[in-house]
C-alpha cells in the first residue's frame, strides 16, 4: 500500500468503502457500490404473496401463491426478503454466517430495513431473530439473525424482543419453563420465556435465509400459541422457485 492509498484509507470513512469489492466510493449508500449491486439478484414483483419466494412462472394476480403455500397454510402472515439466495448473495451470506464477516450486518441490515418499509411492516411491536441453539451460538461466537434484528431494532425504533424466543433443546431453557410447559414443549423446537411480554403483540421475526420456511413457521406457531397477535418474517435472502426457473 503506497502513501496515497494510506492517506485515502484515513480520509475515507468505512461508509465510503464498498463491502463487496473494497473500492472507495464517495457518498456510497448502503455499503455497496453500483457495480456490485448489479451482480446481486434482487427479488422482483414476481413472488409468492405469502412466503415471498421468487416465482419464475407468474400470473399477474393480486394474490398468487407458490405451490407450497397452496397446500400448506403458514402461521406467519407474510415473509419478505430483498435478495434471491443465489450467486453473489449466496456467497456473501455464507461469509456472513460462517466466516465472521460481521460488518455485513450493516449492508444486509440496510437492505432488509428498506424491504420492511416498502412492505409496510415497520409497525411491529417487537423484533427478534430466530434463535440458534446455545451450543451452536457459542461455537460460532454470534447469531447472525440476532445481529440483524438488533440493527433493525435500532434503525426502525422497534423494541427488541431478543431472549424471549428460545430453543427447547437448550438445557437451561428446560429449567426456566414450568413442568406443564415443559411437557407441552417436548413436541416443539421453540418456547417463549415470558409469554406475558408477547401477548397481543405483532412480532417481526428475522432470519438470514428463507428456504423451506419450516423453521420460521415453527417459530411463528410457537409465538401465536403463546399469545402473539401476528407474526411477519423478514430475511436477507429467499429461495428461487427452481422448478419454474427451468421453464
Ligand atoms: Zn463494489
Ligand atoms: Zn409461498
Amino acid at each position: 500500500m503506497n502513501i496515497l492509498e494510506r492517506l485515502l484509507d484515513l480520509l475515507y470513512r468505512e461508509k465510503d468503502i464498498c463491502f463487496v469489492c473494497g473500492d472507495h466510493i464517495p457518498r456510497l449508500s448502503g455499503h455497496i457500490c453500483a457495480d456490485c449491486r448489479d451482480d446481486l439478484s434482487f427479488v422482483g414483483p414476481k413472488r409468492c404473496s405469502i412466503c415471498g419466494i421468487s416465482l419464475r412462472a407468474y400470473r399477474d394476480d393480486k394474490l398468487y401463491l407458490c405451490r407450497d403455500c397452496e397446500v400448506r397454510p403458514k402461521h406467519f402472515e407474510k415473509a419478505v426478503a430483498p435478495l434471491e439466495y443465489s450467486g453473489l448473495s449466496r456467497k456473501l451470506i455464507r461469509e456472513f454466517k460462517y466466516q465472521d464477516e460481521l460488518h455485513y450486518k450493516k449492508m444486509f441490515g440496510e437492505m432488509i430495513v428498506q424491504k420492511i418499509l416498502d412492505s409496510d411492516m415497520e409497525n411491529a411491536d417487537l423484533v427478534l431473530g430466530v434463535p440458534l441453539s446455545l451450543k451452536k451460538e457459542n461455537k460460532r461466537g454470534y447469531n447472525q439473525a440476532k445481529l440483524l434484528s438488533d440493527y433493525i431494532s435500532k434503525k426502525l425504533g422497534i423494541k427488541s424482543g431478543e431472549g424471549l424466543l428460545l430453543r427447547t433443546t437448550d438445557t437451561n431453557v428446560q429449567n426456566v419453563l414450568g413442568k406443564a410447559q415443559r411437557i407441552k414443549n417436548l413436541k416443539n423446537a421453540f418456547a417463549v420465556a415470558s409469554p406475558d411480554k408477547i401477548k397481543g403483540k405483532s412480532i417481526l421475526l428475522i432470519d438470514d435465509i428463507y428456504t423451506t420456511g419450516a423453521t420460521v413457521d415453527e417459530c411463528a406457531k410457537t409465538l401465536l400459541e403463546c399469545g402473539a397477535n401476528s407474526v411477519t418474517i423478514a430475511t436477507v435472502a429467499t429461495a428461487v422457485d427452481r422448478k419454474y426457473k427451468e421453464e
Side-chain angles (χ1 to χ4, degrees), residues 6 10 18 25 29 44 51 53 58-59 87 107 122 131 146-147 149 166 169 178 193 202 212-213 223 232 244:
R6 268 175 210 276
L10 287 171
C18 171
I25 318 270
S29 82
C51 76
I53 69 165
Y58 183 78
R59 301 187 308 258
M107 175 174 71
E122 71 274 24
K146 183 178 180 301
L147 293 178
S149 101
L166 309 163
T169 43
S202 55
T212 65
L223 290 164
T232 49
Y244 291 127

Side-chain angles (χ1 to χ4, degrees), residues 18 20-21 33 36:
C18 171
V20 181
C21 66
C33 76
C36 292

Side-chain angles (χ1 to χ4, degrees), residues 14-226:
E14 180 199 65
K15 74 181 202 44
D16 294 329
I17 295 168
C18 171
F19 282 177
V20 181
C21 66
D23 280 358
H24 286 119
I25 318 270
R27 291 179 296 280
L28 181 67
S29 82
H31 303 286
I32 182 165
C33 76
D35 285 347
C36 292
R37 193 174 276 273
D38 281 348
D39 288 338
L40 292 172
S41 21
F42 285 84
V43 176
K46 298 177 178 181
R47 58 177 186 256
C48 171
S49 305
I50 302 218
C51 76
I53 69 165
S54 278
L55 298 170
R56 297 305 181 195
Y58 183 78
R59 301 187 308 258
D60 204 11
D61 295 353
K62 253 210 143 102
L63 189 76
Y64 187 42
L65 306 183
C66 70
R67 286 181 311 149
D68 184 55
C69 288
E70 261 174 14
V71 297
R72 232 187 313 252
K74 301 290 184 283
H75 294 89
F76 57 82
E77 280 185 358
K78 65 174 168 176
V80 299
L83 298 172
E84 288 183 350
Y85 191 57
S86 62
L88 180 62
S89 334
R90 192 183 148 104
K91 178 178 170 281
L92 295 174
I93 288 170
R94 291 187 69 82
E95 288 172 358
F96 179 47
K97 244 171 127 159
Y98 303 115
Q99 292 169 29
D100 293 337
E101 298 286 359
L102 303 186
H103 60 295
Y104 283 3
K105 80 168 175 205
K106 295 180 194 161
M107 175 174 71
F108 289 146
E110 257 329 293
M111 290 179 192
I112 297 194
V113 160
Q114 203 47 57
K115 194 77 192 183
I116 290 167
L117 291 170
D118 291 347
S119 313
D120 297 323
M121 282 161 52
E122 71 274 24
N123 293 321
D125 300 312
L126 289 171
V127 59
L128 54 104
V130 170
L132 282 178
S133 70
L134 285 179
K135 202 173 152 195
K136 246 189 200 167
E137 186 165 345
N138 288 338
K139 197 173 161 208
R140 197 174 292 176
Y142 60 96
N143 172 2
Q144 68 284 353
K146 183 178 180 301
L147 293 178
L148 291 169
S149 101
D150 287 345
Y151 184 90
I152 294 161
S153 168
K154 281 195 197 93
K155 279 276 165 166
L156 294 176
I158 305 172
K159 196 174 166 202
S160 170
E162 284 304 333
L164 292 175
L165 188 64
L166 309 163
R167 290 257 179 191
T168 48
T169 43
D170 292 336
T171 44
N172 64 333
V173 170
Q174 296 295 342
N175 299 332
V176 172
L177 301 172
K179 196 178 174 192
Q181 222 182 334
R182 221 179 297 171
I183 292 163
K184 190 179 158 215
N185 282 310
L186 277 176
K187 290 184 289 196
N188 300 332
F190 298 95
V192 173
S194 316
D196 50 305
K197 288 190 179 149
I198 63 155
K199 199 165 189 284
K201 300 277 196 284
S202 55
I203 295 177
L204 174 58
L205 186 65
I206 308 299
D207 207 358
D208 47 11
I209 46 172
Y210 183 103
T211 47
T212 65
T215 307
V216 285
D217 201 43
E218 187 63 32
C219 290
K221 180 170 166 258
T222 306
L223 290 164
L224 292 175
E225 279 174 2
C226 293

